[in-house]
Amino acid sequence: PYKLSTDAKEKYRAFLVENRIFLVAQLVKNEQLEDLKDMLDLDLLDSEDLKKCIEEARESSYMEGLGILLAYNKEKYGTVRKKFEF
């Protein structure tokens, strides 16, 4: 949103926070990839939220959106390597 008042910005952000997982899933599903990137730039998702979004994108087979989510996850949280002990 462009040029919102302080009160309107706070309400808008609260709406985004409350609906973040649904909104990301819809952006992926509708292939609104630039909007998805903008949403991720707002930094509303914690690691658990992001895992849910990635799983939903994976299940629905929207590969380009999934790729964006995976890249964002790697950039923000890094990769966790599994250790195998023999």
Side-chain angles (χ1 to χ4, degrees), residues 27-65:
L27 292 172
V28 169
K29 180 180 176 183
N30 295 322
E31 299 181 2
Q32 294 174 283
L33 303 177
E34 288 305 312
D35 293 333
L36 174 61
K37 290 175 187 176
D38 291 341
M39 179 83 171
L40 294 174
D41 287 342
L42 294 174
D43 196 31
L44 302 174
L45 301 171
D46 63 22
S47 118
E48 288 303 311
D49 293 338
L50 195 50
K51 286 178 187 176
K52 290 176 189 173
C53 292
I54 289 169
E55 188 57 37
E56 200 162 315
R58 185 175 283 133
E59 287 174 4
S60 58
S61 300
Y62 293 104
M63 293 301 124
E64 196 168 356

Side-chain angles (χ1 to χ4, degrees), residues 1 4 7-17 42:
L4 292 177
D7 185 48
K9 279 183 189 177
E10 289 173 9
K11 288 179 182 176
Y12 179 70
R13 185 164 178 88
F15 170 80
L16 292 177
V17 168
L42 294 174

Side-chain angles (χ1 to χ4, degrees), residues 58-76:
R58 185 175 283 133
E59 287 174 4
S60 58
S61 300
Y62 293 104
M63 293 301 124
E64 196 168 356
L66 175 61
I68 291 169
L69 292 172
L70 289 170
Y72 177 78
N73 187 49
K74 184 176 180 181
E75 176 186 312
K76 183 160 179 162

